[in-house]
Amino acid sequence: MSTHRSKSNAGFTLIEVLVSIVLVALGLIGLAGLQARTLAEAANSGHRSLATQQAANLSDAIRANREAFNSGGFDITAPASPTVASGCLGAAGCTAAQMAAATLRMWNNDNARVLPGGIGTVCIDATPHDGTPTAFACDGVAGAPYVIKVWWDEDRTGTTATFRRFATALNP
């Protein structure tokens, strides 16, 4: 028996292989893009977790210095780092207000260290979902809760993402 091939089918298998290679390549490029996006979202999730921890740390520090809290020592209404008394962290000690200023400065130093472009504030604010790292937008409305706000550059492009933790337990 002899097999007879038609000239019209010659090279058809080669075309199928080339199409398959192109489809597999496109699938691998899509998979690489998905993997890159997954890694970026994992980093963002880590930043949100760090911001949550930073807010919790400040909440604990505020609860530990109730005297400064009651006198408004933790209320920052402008994006400026509070000054720290020279002997506050040394053997000389400091007042409750000076300790609050030192706590806030160290907290914001930690924000900058653990979060890209990290900065934060704590203030009395009836509208806690507003503000930016350069304009905290704390209104100081009587009876409003103390709010801890932390900002960071989530995608490292200069666009600032916002994370907020409400410290309602700190209301006097």
Side-chain angles (χ1 to χ4, degrees), residues 104-126:
L104 289 169
R105 177 173 294 266
M106 288 185 295
W107 178 70
N108 254 328
N109 288 345
D110 284 346
N111 285 336
R113 185 179 49 80
V114 300
L115 294 166
I119 189 170
T121 189
V122 57
C123 59
I124 298 171
D125 195 3

PDB file of all heavy atoms in Angstrom, residues 104-126:
ATOM      1  N   LEU A 104       4.907  61.667  69.423  1.00  0.00           N
ATOM      2  CA  LEU A 104       4.433  61.947  68.061  1.00  0.00           C
ATOM      3  C   LEU A 104       5.594  62.039  67.075  1.00  0.00           C
ATOM      4  O   LEU A 104       5.499  61.557  65.949  1.00  0.00           O
ATOM      5  CB  LEU A 104       3.605  63.231  68.049  1.00  0.00           C
ATOM      6  CG  LEU A 104       2.246  63.109  68.733  1.00  0.00           C
ATOM      7  CD1 LEU A 104       1.607  64.478  68.908  1.00  0.00           C
ATOM      8  CD2 LEU A 104       1.329  62.183  67.952  1.00  0.00           C
ATOM      9  N   ARG A 105       6.697  62.658  67.486  1.00  0.00           N
ATOM     10  CA  ARG A 105       7.853  62.765  66.588  1.00  0.00           C
ATOM     11  C   ARG A 105       8.423  61.372  66.290  1.00  0.00           C
ATOM     12  O   ARG A 105       8.701  61.038  65.150  1.00  0.00           O
ATOM     13  CB  ARG A 105       8.940  63.652  67.155  1.00  0.00           C
ATOM     14  CG  ARG A 105      10.160  63.650  66.197  1.00  0.00           C
ATOM     15  CD  ARG A 105      11.215  64.620  66.563  1.00  0.00           C
ATOM     16  NE  ARG A 105      10.856  65.997  66.452  1.00  0.00           N
ATOM     17  CZ  ARG A 105      11.085  66.745  65.378  1.00  0.00           C
ATOM     18  NH1 ARG A 105      11.605  66.225  64.307  1.00  0.00           N
ATOM     19  NH2 ARG A 105      10.780  68.015  65.379  1.00  0.00           N
ATOM     20  N   MET A 106       8.602  60.561  67.332  1.00  0.00           N
ATOM     21  CA  MET A 106       9.141  59.215  67.117  1.00  0.00           C
ATOM     22  C   MET A 106       8.186  58.373  66.271  1.00  0.00           C
ATOM     23  O   MET A 106       8.622  57.610  65.411  1.00  0.00           O
ATOM     24  CB  MET A 106       9.415  58.533  68.459  1.00  0.00           C
ATOM     25  CG  MET A 106      10.606  59.120  69.187  1.00  0.00           C
ATOM     26  SD  MET A 106      11.052  58.246  70.702  1.00  0.00           S
ATOM     27  CE  MET A 106       9.630  58.535  71.730  1.00  0.00           C
ATOM     28  N   TRP A 107       6.897  58.538  66.495  1.00  0.00           N
ATOM     29  CA  TRP A 107       5.902  57.795  65.722  1.00  0.00           C
ATOM     30  C   TRP A 107       5.978  58.169  64.243  1.00  0.00           C
ATOM     31  O   TRP A 107       5.966  57.305  63.376  1.00  0.00           O
ATOM     32  CB  TRP A 107       4.504  58.062  66.288  1.00  0.00           C
ATOM     33  CG  TRP A 107       3.404  57.399  65.549  1.00  0.00           C
ATOM     34  CD1 TRP A 107       3.125  56.057  65.502  1.00  0.00           C
ATOM     35  CD2 TRP A 107       2.414  58.037  64.735  1.00  0.00           C
ATOM     36  NE1 TRP A 107       2.007  55.829  64.713  1.00  0.00           N
ATOM     37  CE2 TRP A 107       1.568  57.033  64.233  1.00  0.00           C
ATOM     38  CE3 TRP A 107       2.172  59.364  64.392  1.00  0.00           C
ATOM     39  CZ2 TRP A 107       0.491  57.309  63.408  1.00  0.00           C
ATOM     40  CZ3 TRP A 107       1.093  59.636  63.576  1.00  0.00           C
ATOM     41  CH2 TRP A 107       0.273  58.616  63.085  1.00  0.00           C
ATOM     42  N   ASN A 108       6.085  59.471  63.961  1.00  0.00           N
ATOM     43  CA  ASN A 108       6.179  59.880  62.559  1.00  0.00           C
ATOM     44  C   ASN A 108       7.520  59.487  61.946  1.00  0.00           C
ATOM     45  O   ASN A 108       7.594  59.187  60.754  1.00  0.00           O
ATOM     46  CB  ASN A 108       5.903  61.373  62.390  1.00  0.00           C
ATOM     47  CG  ASN A 108       4.538  61.606  61.775  1.00  0.00           C
ATOM     48  OD1 ASN A 108       4.057  60.801  60.984  1.00  0.00           O
ATOM     49  ND2 ASN A 108       3.910  62.692  62.148  1.00  0.00           N
ATOM     50  N   ASN A 109       8.582  59.468  62.738  1.00  0.00           N
ATOM     51  CA  ASN A 109       9.860  58.956  62.229  1.00  0.00           C
ATOM     52  C   ASN A 109       9.711  57.486  61.846  1.00  0.00           C
ATOM     53  O   ASN A 109      10.234  57.038  60.820  1.00  0.00           O
ATOM     54  CB  ASN A 109      10.975  59.136  63.259  1.00  0.00           C
ATOM     55  CG  ASN A 109      11.396  60.574  63.417  1.00  0.00           C
ATOM     56  OD1 ASN A 109      11.079  61.424  62.594  1.00  0.00           O
ATOM     57  ND2 ASN A 109      12.103  60.865  64.500  1.00  0.00           N
ATOM     58  N   ASP A 110       8.997  56.724  62.677  1.00  0.00           N
ATOM     59  CA  ASP A 110       8.735  55.313  62.360  1.00  0.00           C
ATOM     60  C   ASP A 110       7.881  55.178  61.109  1.00  0.00           C
ATOM     61  O   ASP A 110       8.108  54.300  60.280  1.00  0.00           O
ATOM     62  CB  ASP A 110       8.045  54.607  63.524  1.00  0.00           C
ATOM     63  CG  ASP A 110       8.998  54.291  64.664  1.00  0.00           C
ATOM     64  OD1 ASP A 110      10.226  54.369  64.452  1.00  0.00           O
ATOM     65  OD2 ASP A 110       8.503  53.965  65.766  1.00  0.00           O
ATOM     66  N   ASN A 111       6.870  56.055  60.962  1.00  0.00           N
ATOM     67  CA  ASN A 111       6.042  56.021  59.749  1.00  0.00           C
ATOM     68  C   ASN A 111       6.902  56.197  58.506  1.00  0.00           C
ATOM     69  O   ASN A 111       6.748  55.473  57.521  1.00  0.00           O
ATOM     70  CB  ASN A 111       4.968  57.113  59.781  1.00  0.00           C
ATOM     71  CG  ASN A 111       3.818  56.806  60.698  1.00  0.00           C
ATOM     72  OD1 ASN A 111       3.540  55.645  60.995  1.00  0.00           O
ATOM     73  ND2 ASN A 111       3.150  57.834  61.177  1.00  0.00           N
ATOM     74  N   ALA A 112       7.800  57.160  58.552  1.00  0.00           N
ATOM     75  CA  ALA A 112       8.674  57.426  57.403  1.00  0.00           C
ATOM     76  C   ALA A 112       9.632  56.263  57.150  1.00  0.00           C
ATOM     77  O   ALA A 112      10.007  55.997  56.008  1.00  0.00           O
ATOM     78  CB  ALA A 112       9.455  58.715  57.626  1.00  0.00           C
ATOM     79  N   ARG A 113      10.007  55.562  58.213  1.00  0.00           N
ATOM     80  CA  ARG A 113      10.958  54.453  58.083  1.00  0.00           C
ATOM     81  C   ARG A 113      10.285  53.188  57.528  1.00  0.00           C
ATOM     82  O   ARG A 113      10.861  52.507  56.687  1.00  0.00           O
ATOM     83  CB  ARG A 113      11.591  54.162  59.443  1.00  0.00           C
ATOM     84  CG  ARG A 113      12.673  53.119  59.447  1.00  0.00           C
ATOM     85  CD  ARG A 113      13.275  52.900  60.829  1.00  0.00           C
ATOM     86  NE  ARG A 113      12.316  52.707  61.901  1.00  0.00           N
ATOM     87  CZ  ARG A 113      11.686  51.559  62.152  1.00  0.00           C
ATOM     88  NH1 ARG A 113      11.901  50.520  61.398  1.00  0.00           N
ATOM     89  NH2 ARG A 113      10.838  51.470  63.153  1.00  0.00           N
ATOM     90  N   VAL A 114       9.079  52.868  57.980  1.00  0.00           N
ATOM     91  CA  VAL A 114       8.467  51.593  57.599  1.00  0.00           C
ATOM     92  C   VAL A 114       7.519  51.694  56.407  1.00  0.00           C
ATOM     93  O   VAL A 114       7.189  50.678  55.799  1.00  0.00           O
ATOM     94  CB  VAL A 114       7.723  50.925  58.786  1.00  0.00           C
ATOM     95  CG1 VAL A 114       8.676  50.655  59.921  1.00  0.00           C
ATOM     96  CG2 VAL A 114       6.530  51.732  59.242  1.00  0.00           C
ATOM     97  N   LEU A 115       7.080  52.897  56.073  1.00  0.00           N
ATOM     98  CA  LEU A 115       6.167  53.081  54.939  1.00  0.00           C
ATOM     99  C   LEU A 115       6.805  54.035  53.929  1.00  0.00           C
ATOM    100  O   LEU A 115       7.379  55.049  54.331  1.00  0.00           O
ATOM    101  CB  LEU A 115       4.835  53.681  55.406  1.00  0.00           C
ATOM    102  CG  LEU A 115       3.990  52.810  56.320  1.00  0.00           C
ATOM    103  CD1 LEU A 115       2.890  53.639  56.971  1.00  0.00           C
ATOM    104  CD2 LEU A 115       3.402  51.656  55.540  1.00  0.00           C
ATOM    105  N   PRO A 116       6.686  53.753  52.634  1.00  0.00           N
ATOM    106  CA  PRO A 116       7.258  54.679  51.640  1.00  0.00           C
ATOM    107  C   PRO A 116       6.530  56.023  51.672  1.00  0.00           C
ATOM    108  O   PRO A 116       5.336  56.086  51.435  1.00  0.00           O
ATOM    109  CB  PRO A 116       7.062  53.956  50.309  1.00  0.00           C
ATOM    110  CG  PRO A 116       6.013  52.932  50.562  1.00  0.00           C
ATOM    111  CD  PRO A 116       6.048  52.600  52.012  1.00  0.00           C
ATOM    112  N   GLY A 117       7.244  57.071  52.021  1.00  0.00           N
ATOM    113  CA  GLY A 117       6.632  58.397  52.121  1.00  0.00           C
ATOM    114  C   GLY A 117       5.656  58.501  53.278  1.00  0.00           C
ATOM    115  O   GLY A 117       4.765  59.339  53.255  1.00  0.00           O
ATOM    116  N   GLY A 118       5.815  57.683  54.308  1.00  0.00           N
ATOM    117  CA  GLY A 118       4.854  57.619  55.402  1.00  0.00           C
ATOM    118  C   GLY A 118       4.850  58.843  56.289  1.00  0.00           C
ATOM    119  O   GLY A 118       5.893  59.373  56.659  1.00  0.00           O
ATOM    120  N   ILE A 119       3.653  59.314  56.603  1.00  0.00           N
ATOM    121  CA  ILE A 119       3.447  60.424  57.530  1.00  0.00           C
ATOM    122  C   ILE A 119       2.071  60.229  58.161  1.00  0.00           C
ATOM    123  O   ILE A 119       1.183  59.623  57.563  1.00  0.00           O
ATOM    124  CB  ILE A 119       3.548  61.801  56.836  1.00  0.00           C
ATOM    125  CG1 ILE A 119       3.547  62.932  57.873  1.00  0.00           C
ATOM    126  CG2 ILE A 119       2.463  61.971  55.799  1.00  0.00           C
ATOM    127  CD1 ILE A 119       3.881  64.294  57.296  1.00  0.00           C
ATOM    128  N   GLY A 120       1.914  60.737  59.369  1.00  0.00           N
ATOM    129  CA  GLY A 120       0.631  60.563  60.031  1.00  0.00           C
ATOM    130  C   GLY A 120       0.302  61.698  60.965  1.00  0.00           C
ATOM    131  O   GLY A 120       1.134  62.563  61.248  1.00  0.00           O
ATOM    132  N   THR A 121      -0.930  61.684  61.436  1.00  0.00           N
ATOM    133  CA  THR A 121      -1.383  62.676  62.390  1.00  0.00           C
ATOM    134  C   THR A 121      -2.427  62.055  63.296  1.00  0.00           C
ATOM    135  O   THR A 121      -3.013  61.014  62.981  1.00  0.00           O
ATOM    136  CB  THR A 121      -1.975  63.920  61.692  1.00  0.00           C
ATOM    137  OG1 THR A 121      -2.194  64.928  62.668  1.00  0.00           O
ATOM    138  CG2 THR A 121      -3.274  63.607  60.987  1.00  0.00           C
ATOM    139  N   VAL A 122      -2.666  62.704  64.390  1.00  0.00           N
ATOM    140  CA  VAL A 122      -3.782  62.380  65.271  1.00  0.00           C
ATOM    141  C   VAL A 122      -4.427  63.716  65.610  1.00  0.00           C
ATOM    142  O   VAL A 122      -3.741  64.690  65.908  1.00  0.00           O
ATOM    143  CB  VAL A 122      -3.348  61.611  66.533  1.00  0.00           C
ATOM    144  CG1 VAL A 122      -2.325  62.372  67.319  1.00  0.00           C
ATOM    145  CG2 VAL A 122      -4.542  61.274  67.404  1.00  0.00           C
ATOM    146  N   CYS A 123      -5.739  63.771  65.472  1.00  0.00           N
ATOM    147  CA  CYS A 123      -6.408  65.040  65.709  1.00  0.00           C
ATOM    148  C   CYS A 123      -7.894  64.805  65.971  1.00  0.00           C
ATOM    149  O   CYS A 123      -8.411  63.712  65.760  1.00  0.00           O
ATOM    150  CB  CYS A 123      -6.236  65.962  64.506  1.00  0.00           C
ATOM    151  SG  CYS A 123      -6.890  65.283  62.962  1.00  0.00           S
ATOM    152  N   ILE A 124      -8.559  65.848  66.411  1.00  0.00           N
ATOM    153  CA  ILE A 124     -10.000  65.810  66.589  1.00  0.00           C
ATOM    154  C   ILE A 124     -10.604  66.160  65.229  1.00  0.00           C
ATOM    155  O   ILE A 124     -10.297  67.203  64.660  1.00  0.00           O
ATOM    156  CB  ILE A 124     -10.441  66.806  67.673  1.00  0.00           C
ATOM    157  CG1 ILE A 124      -9.808  66.425  69.007  1.00  0.00           C
ATOM    158  CG2 ILE A 124     -11.959  66.848  67.772  1.00  0.00           C
ATOM    159  CD1 ILE A 124      -9.998  67.461  70.092  1.00  0.00           C
ATOM    160  N   ASP A 125     -11.456  65.278  64.717  1.00  0.00           N
ATOM    161  CA  ASP A 125     -11.957  65.483  63.355  1.00  0.00           C
ATOM    162  C   ASP A 125     -13.328  64.839  63.193  1.00  0.00           C
ATOM    163  O   ASP A 125     -13.488  63.640  63.373  1.00  0.00           O
ATOM    164  CB  ASP A 125     -10.972  64.877  62.353  1.00  0.00           C
ATOM    165  CG  ASP A 125     -11.210  65.357  60.932  1.00  0.00           C
ATOM    166  OD1 ASP A 125     -12.098  66.207  60.716  1.00  0.00           O
ATOM    167  OD2 ASP A 125     -10.499  64.879  60.036  1.00  0.00           O
ATOM    168  N   ALA A 126     -14.309  65.648  62.812  1.00  0.00           N
ATOM    169  CA  ALA A 126     -15.652  65.143  62.562  1.00  0.00           C
ATOM    170  C   ALA A 126     -15.773  64.535  61.174  1.00  0.00           C
ATOM    171  O   ALA A 126     -16.715  63.793  60.897  1.00  0.00           O
ATOM    172  CB  ALA A 126     -16.676  66.261  62.727  1.00  0.00           C
TER     173      ALA A 126
END
